[in-house]
Every structure is written in structure tokens, then in C-alpha cells.
Amino acid sequence: MAMAEITNNESLERPREPQSTSASGATEHLPKFYPKFSGKPFYNGNKEALGWALDAVARAVQFIAAGAFLGTALIRIAKEAAGCPTEPPEGETTIPECDKTVYGIKPSSLLTTYTMIVGVASACLLPLMGAIIDYTPHRLRVGRILSTLFTILILPTIFLNEDNFFAIAIIQVIISFTGWAQTAISYSYLPELTTNELLLNDYTKSFTMASYGSIVVFLGIVIGSMQAAGKGDDDLLTNQVAMSIAFGIDVCLLGYAWGFLFGRRDRMHQLPSGQKRIWTAGFVQLYNTGKHIVMNYRALK
């Protein structure tokens, strides 16, 4: 990624929009509905720290919802469309292997194929995201666009059924692709939340606890509610419930984080001489970084 270039003699200050902040990193002029605990604003009023926490929770919930529930429902529907059994035969405990295909893909290979496509696409996309972060002042705008797209695309997955499952699978590829791009933009804010390394360490721990805690709560709500309703074996209904909850969470948390908490950033660097296109700058810098590592950092290589 372009923002991660290693340099020997370069020490560049990261310009950012002037803000009224306290010595602890707290930001004044908090937006409406800013949460407080015991009369004190969360993260001592550091808006972007709260924004990062909300963003991390929203992403965690969406990714686990897609992996645990949407993926399971997709495979089940694909097996049914291919004419394969989805339940163990009477007297047996295992489901027979499905050797048939649907749209030229084995149902069991559906998620593997999807993961491969997302991996290759993300590898091609991340250098561009790094270039946008490094060489343009559009980080906030791109983050908002990607977060909006990431949220909107969840909506069709709620209505997964036998007639649209292949289209939903394609949409899920786009969601994952968009999600990784949005994650890259989010992580560019992380080291800039505060200049205090100890405070940043505390922030990072709280973000991790918040995201993993939200996953546990989310799974408990979805699985618990479906079991209580006696619908635990209904993969389609479970997917509808899970993706509906994920959509509502993303609308609220990503909307608040990117609409009110994250701030604008100026460009971090000027394009190198001879580089005129932002589309190629990230790949060129990635090549230069790799070359620098090979020549100077044997252990890291």
C-alpha cells in the first residue's frame, strides 16, 4: 500500500485540517448526540476516535453476518439448484458430496471462488486506495462514498432466494471488494487519532474489544432469537434476520461516523516528479517500496 512506504531520510509532517483540540487529543465543538458516560464524552471528546470505534463495529458485524449466515444460505441454495441433497439421508449423519455444478461452479466451491476473486481484486485496489490517501485531499469524501455503497449493497442480500442467489453472490463480491477499500481508508485515520502513543495503544485495545464484543452480541441475538422462534434450521430466514440487523447497524454507525465524526485531510505528499496519474502512482510506489526492502532489509525480505 502506498501509504506504507519505507524511507531512510524522509520525515514528512502530515498536514491536516486545523482543529480545536486539547492536549489529550480531545476535540471541542462536539456534534449533537455525542455519547457520554458519567457526564464525560466518550474518548474524552476525540470525535475521530469514536468514529473509528463505530466504523470498526459496523465492519465487524457486516463481515461476520456475510460469512456466518449469507455464505451458509448461498451454499444451501446452490446445492438445491444443482439438485444435490442438503440434508443427511435417513439413518446417516453426513450429507453426501455434491459433484454437480450450477453456473459452472460446484456449490462447495462457491465461497472458494468468491474468496479468490475478492483477494485478487483487493490486491489490485489497495495501491490505488493508498495513492488516494497519500496524494489527494479526498480521503474523507472517498470514505463517505465507500461507506454509503458498502451499506446500500447490503440491502439486496436480505432478500436472498432461489431465483436471485447468483446475482446476490455477485453483489456480495462487490460488497467485500468495497469493504476492503473502505477499511483501507479507515485505517489511514488510525495513526492520526492522537500523537500520544500510550493513548493510541489504549484506543486500539478499546477498538478491538468493541469490534469483537459486537460480534459476540450480534451472533447471540441472531442465533438466540432464531432458536427461540424454533427456526434455527431455516438458513434463508436466518440470513434475512442477520442481514437486516447488519444493515440497520451500518446505517446508524457508519452514517454517524462518516457524516459527523471523521474530519477532512489534506494531501500527505505531492506526486513524484514524472508521475502524473493517480491511478499508477500507488503501484509505482509499491514497486519502489518492495525494491527498497529487498536491497536494505534482509530480515523483512
Side-chain angles (χ1 to χ4, degrees):
M1 188 172 170
M3 62 177 291
E5 181 178 10
I6 299 175
T7 59
N8 287 327
N9 54 8
E10 184 179 25
S11 178
L12 294 174
E13 181 180 355
R14 297 184 177 182
R16 54 187 298 177
E17 188 177 64
Q19 295 181 1
S20 175
T21 58
S22 66
S24 63
T27 306
E28 299 176 2
H29 309 300
L30 300 178
K32 292 182 179 179
F33 312 114
Y34 192 93
K36 296 181 180 180
F37 181 75
S38 298
K40 296 181 179 180
F42 275 37
Y43 294 102
N44 199 30
N46 189 326
K47 296 189 298 183
E48 292 188 346
L50 176 62
W52 215 97
L54 298 180
D55 180 87
V57 168
R59 283 187 283 108
V61 168
Q62 161 55 14
F63 283 135
I64 196 65
F69 302 112
L70 179 60
T72 300
L74 277 172
I75 291 177
R76 185 182 185 90
I77 293 176
K79 284 185 175 181
E80 292 176 349
C84 295
T86 57
E87 299 292 342
E90 187 176 353
E92 298 185 17
T93 58
T94 59
I95 301 175
E97 183 69 25
C98 179
D99 295 324
K100 299 179 181 179
T101 62
V102 56
Y103 293 101
I105 303 174
K106 285 186 177 182
S108 59
S109 301
L110 190 62
L111 294 186
T112 305
T113 304
Y114 144 79
T115 303
M116 180 188 67
I117 295 173
V118 171
V120 173
S122 298
C124 295
L125 176 72
L126 291 181
L128 174 60
M129 291 296 103
I132 290 174
I133 293 167
D134 281 355
Y135 302 123
T136 78
H138 304 311
R139 190 193 311 186
L140 178 61
R141 181 181 302 174
V142 174
R144 286 174 172 173
I145 292 172
L146 290 173
S147 296
T148 301
L149 184 61
F150 183 65
T151 302
I152 291 175
L153 287 174
I154 298 173
L155 194 58
T157 65
I158 299 173
F159 306 101
L160 172 70
N161 57 46
E162 295 84 354
D163 298 323
N164 63 15
F165 79 95
F166 193 72
I168 295 297
I170 295 174
I171 290 174
Q172 181 56 30
V173 170
I174 300 173
I175 291 175
S176 298
F177 183 73
T178 305
W180 281 116
Q182 193 266 358
T183 299
I185 299 293
S186 299
Y187 268 88
S188 70
Y189 280 89
L190 183 60
E192 301 175 353
L193 296 179
T194 178
T195 57
N196 186 324
E197 291 186 7
L198 294 178
L199 184 59
L200 182 60
N201 185 47
D202 290 339
Y203 283 168
T204 304
K205 287 188 291 186
S206 72
F207 299 154
T208 303
M209 289 188 293
S211 59
Y212 281 97
S214 65
I215 289 175
V216 173
V217 173
F218 173 74
L219 291 175
I221 291 174
V222 174
I223 296 174
S225 61
M226 297 306 297
Q227 291 293 338
K231 299 291 185 178
D233 295 332
D234 192 333
D235 292 332
L236 280 181
L237 182 59
T238 302
N239 172 73
Q240 290 176 345
V241 172
M243 300 310 292
S244 296
I245 295 174
F247 176 74
I249 290 173
D250 280 18
V251 167
C252 296
L253 300 191
L254 291 181
Y256 188 57
W258 288 96
F260 301 96
L261 300 178
F262 284 117
R264 181 184 175 275
R265 294 292 191 274
D266 293 328
R267 69 182 77 231
M268 298 171 63
H269 312 295
Q270 295 293 331
L271 278 172
S273 57
Q275 279 289 328
K276 297 182 179 180
R277 296 182 179 179
I278 194 70
W279 302 101
T280 59
F283 294 95
V284 171
Q285 189 168 342
L286 187 64
Y287 168 78
N288 291 333
T289 300
K291 181 179 178 181
H292 184 73
I293 290 173
V294 169
M295 296 179 63
N296 299 281
Y297 296 90
R298 294 177 60 86
L300 182 58
K301 178 183 68 174

